[in-house]
Amino acid sequence: MCKGNCVHETAEHANCPYCFCVTKDELRFLQRESVVVAGHGDGMVTVYDMRNASSPGRLCSSTTSGKHLLPVMQVCCLDTEPGQSLSFYSASQDGRVSQWFVRSSSLECSDILDFQQTKRPRKASSNEGSLEGTATCIAISPERDDILLLGVDTGSLFQVCTSKTKHSVTRYPAHLGPVTAVTWNNIHKKVFASCALDWNVKVWLQYHLSPIVTLDLGGPVVGLAWSPTSSTVIVAVTEEGRVYVYDLFLRKCQPLCIQNLVQRRRFSLASVAFSPYQPVILVGGTKGYLVAFKLSPNLRKPHKDAKGADENRKREIELCKMERIITISKG
């Protein structure tokens, strides 16, 4: 067994060539293990019921139900209570951010934002700029499902509260290139991270307009994911085929591991996701490849105080680790 700082390839398979994107770490099967949501390059969104794997049922958006006019960049599922309609968001190159409701035989759509039409008042505060650009990625706050983070092709991040009559918008001047992914921390609910084609990964504290951590990966970053068990472990992938594993608590700006995939797989990377149950990551490529890796023991060592602790104590330890990073970064 290898005990070094590395990840181990375990499997790969061809992905559907017709799907432009699917949900990443936030793909939650809508609290029903048989349901999967996908967005497509022709602007359609589809809900699949996989109970019959040989002939899955599906519901598709149509022109009459609000189908997007350009490729769907990402779909993001809401956690719904028993008895509530299944629901998810979609962000598209046509400028629309839409919420979809799954009915028994159809999909219903309600546009949350339209970047092509939304205008802010002239006298906006410094952190409430106009919704310029087009949304490229989306993430739902783990604390409130009416709080959305939107990355755009101009490099900005927008936090939008959808429950108010006039959407409250907070702008983070995040990147110099198109934002490719944004994701909330799984343990510290007010921390999130973003990455972009400007080579940077940035970690943010909600409502603070300067990042608490900036990582330069030396190439366009196309995907990132937080560990489900550690508040400070984050994985990012670059377009040119490298996987980076960071533990911000152990080494704030230096990766624990860099895995190069180009020599073995001639394709550009596109996304990464953590398994919520095992120390495994999934890396997606632009030619339909999906590769699974298992993190070596050195990449998932628990904190010394967490040994033998119950779940509540472990969570407290993880929160303290991130709070320490926040305190040091804010000076």
Side-chain angles (χ1 to χ4, degrees), residues 89-163:
Y89 289 102
S90 63
S92 169
Q93 288 183 359
D94 65 5
R96 292 163 50 206
V97 177
S98 305
Q99 184 173 9
W100 298 85
F101 300 92
V102 182
R103 306 306 183 192
S104 59
S105 60
S106 64
L107 295 178
E108 294 182 5
C109 173
S110 174
D111 286 345
I112 302 299
L113 288 172
D114 189 335
F115 277 72
Q116 306 303 323
Q117 298 180 4
T118 304
K119 302 293 184 181
R120 297 289 303 171
R122 290 182 179 181
K123 294 182 180 180
S125 63
S126 59
N127 65 326
E128 291 189 348
S130 61
L131 291 172
E132 78 277 357
T134 299
T136 54
C137 51
I138 185 172
I140 305 172
S141 168
E143 289 189 315
R144 293 175 52 181
D145 59 15
D146 62 337
I147 298 291
L148 304 180
L149 280 175
L150 301 170
V152 299
D153 57 2
T154 61
S156 296
L157 286 173
F158 291 97
Q159 179 180 288
V160 181
C161 179
T162 63
S163 61

Side-chain angles (χ1 to χ4, degrees), residues 166-177:
K166 292 184 178 180
H167 296 329
S168 173
V169 178
T170 301
R171 177 181 178 273
Y172 299 84
H175 296 277
L176 300 178

